[in-house]
Amino acid sequence: MNVKNLALLLAACAANSATAAAPFDQQSAFSKPQQMIDIGGRKLNLHCSGSGPVTVVFDSPSTDAGWSWVGVQPEIAKRTRACVYDRAGLGFSDPSPREGVSGNAVEDLHALLGKAGIAPPYVMVGNSYGGANVQLYAYRYPAEVKGLVLVEPQHEDETRRLDAASQGKLKQVYAQQKEMEKACAAQAEKGFQPGSDELKNCIGDVPDGFGPELAKAYLGVVSSAKHWRAAVSEDFNFDQGGDQLRAARRSFGDMPVLVLTRGVSPFAVPGKPQSALNKAFENENRKMHKEIAALSKRGSERVVPGAGHIIQAEKPQAVVKAINEVLDKVR
């Protein structure tokens, strides 16, 4: 895949990250640190609101922060306690001396909830890489987790299986993406110049729906060297996290598990018919999601029409509905 095709793919992915507008007063809490909880010599940013007997805990996609859930968390907080956090080095959280591996993120989250006094039971919600993290959390701390909502979740074998479905193109994209990330991280250490091509290529546009306060906070964070160190660490250790999830994999028993699958492919080219290769890729993605749901006696999977990979951004009400369904089953 050449650089032009990579740019088309990345542009499609960026389009899928558009955020459905949330009221600006709801966005304010996502624009600054809230509770900075010391988990042992470093602090993680935690934002909780609402109250209830069950706490919904959100984990974000790879390299993203708690603001990924700005259109969802405030709605869930109307019903019960809802908590978002920033993983180490991302958002407003301090960096970690450890690699950005899923197992380390799970240990951090467990320590964070304990130190903050956020007692179980939990319903955990995760998108993409965050979806792998909450699965691993449920396996490691089964007494704490009573339900899962998995939004386009990572499967432990997804790189191998999706690369095969794309006839080797996915790994080509990943390799080029890593080269771009390394270049962006190096530039972040030097500092991005306002209006520069490097800033445009590495940061891109502010997600749609972010108001002025959140947009300013977002740009300040994602242009920092701290952010890029953490982002590179997460992306470059993606397969190691898959190994950890594979080693832990077993039945979820009768825990309510709801898996949401995108209706719009990030490989789709606007205005062009879907290719056979694209169909194979999307079919394999959904097959993995169905396999995860089938690990629970009360598991189900559904497609969210019109949504790309970051479903909580494009169709937040679909995620709110799914969480409420799982909460109903937990209670």
Side-chain angles (χ1 to χ4, degrees):
M1 180 174 289
N2 60 33
V3 174
K4 182 179 179 181
N5 288 337
L6 175 64
L8 285 172
L9 171 61
L10 295 178
C13 291
N16 285 339
S17 67
T19 302
F24 290 172
D25 60 340
Q26 290 183 3
Q27 295 185 12
S28 181
F30 295 82
S31 306
K32 60 182 73 71
Q34 296 297 308
Q35 289 181 278
M36 294 297 291
I37 306 297
D38 192 323
I39 63 167
R42 56 190 173 91
K43 296 179 180 180
L44 298 182
N45 179 46
L46 176 69
H47 167 49
C48 297
S49 55
S51 61
V54 178
T55 297
V56 178
V57 180
F58 296 84
D59 201 354
S60 303
S62 176
T63 78
D64 206 0
W67 48 53
S68 181
W69 303 100
V70 66
V72 176
Q73 186 270 350
E75 294 303 308
I76 298 303
K78 295 175 182 178
R79 172 174 180 173
T80 192
R81 180 162 53 182
C83 298
V84 298
Y85 84 110
D86 300 334
R87 290 190 301 273
L90 301 173
F92 304 106
S93 289
D94 293 341
S96 172
R98 305 191 297 175
E99 295 289 351
V101 178
S102 186
N104 291 339
V106 167
E107 289 180 7
D108 280 0
L109 179 55
H110 187 254
L112 173 67
L113 295 171
K115 294 288 187 180
I118 308 297
Y122 309 129
V123 166
M124 296 199 136
V125 184
N127 172 230
S128 194
Y129 175 75
N133 293 347
V134 298
Q135 290 177 74
L136 189 57
Y137 193 107
Y139 286 136
R140 290 189 175 180
Y141 309 104
E144 299 181 4
V145 183
K146 301 305 180 184
L148 290 172
V149 177
L150 305 174
V151 183
E152 277 282 295
Q154 176 190 342
H155 184 283
E156 59 270 24
D157 296 322
E158 72 172 46
T159 299
R160 174 183 61 80
R161 290 172 61 170
L162 293 179
D163 188 60
S166 65
Q167 299 180 8
K169 289 181 171 58
L170 183 67
K171 285 189 177 179
Q172 293 178 34
V173 170
Y174 281 177
Q176 293 178 62
Q177 181 181 357
K178 285 182 177 180
E179 289 303 310
M180 291 176 64
E181 282 186 314
K182 287 194 290 186
C184 290
Q187 185 59 50
E189 296 291 344
K190 300 175 185 177
F192 289 104
Q193 296 299 316
S196 66
D197 288 341
E198 290 84 1
L199 183 65
K200 180 179 180 181
N201 292 335
C202 293
I203 308 303
D205 297 327
V206 174
D208 290 345
F210 277 20
E213 184 181 8
L214 184 53
K216 182 179 179 180
Y218 172 84
L219 289 174
V221 166
V222 300
S223 60
S224 70
K226 175 180 79 89
H227 167 84
W228 282 97
R229 292 183 202 123
V232 166
S233 187
E234 282 197 349
D235 279 350
F236 280 54
N237 286 286
F238 184 82
D239 289 340
Q240 186 177 341
D243 293 340
Q244 293 174 331
L245 183 55
R246 186 181 304 107
R249 182 64 82 191
R250 60 184 183 274
S251 169
F252 287 118
D254 65 352
M255 177 193 298
V257 176
L258 180 48
V259 183
L260 300 182
T261 299
R262 64 186 179 236
V264 178
S265 171
F267 284 90
V269 178
K272 300 288 185 180
Q274 188 182 29
S275 68
L277 195 64
N278 186 219
K279 288 180 182 178
F281 187 92
E282 293 306 304
N283 287 342
E284 188 67 22
N285 183 63
R286 190 177 186 194
K287 183 179 179 181
M288 289 186 289
H289 291 173
K290 288 182 175 180
E291 289 171 6
I292 294 171
L295 291 170
S296 170
K297 296 175 183 177
R298 290 196 288 171
S300 61
E301 179 271 348
R302 74 172 60 132
V303 172
V304 180
H309 184 56
I310 312 298
I311 297 175
Q312 67 271 19
E314 291 186 66
K315 301 291 182 180
Q317 286 306 315
V319 181
V320 171
K321 181 175 182 290
I323 296 169
N324 279 325
E325 288 178 25
V326 169
L327 284 170
D328 288 341
K329 292 178 181 179
V330 169
R331 293 186 176 182

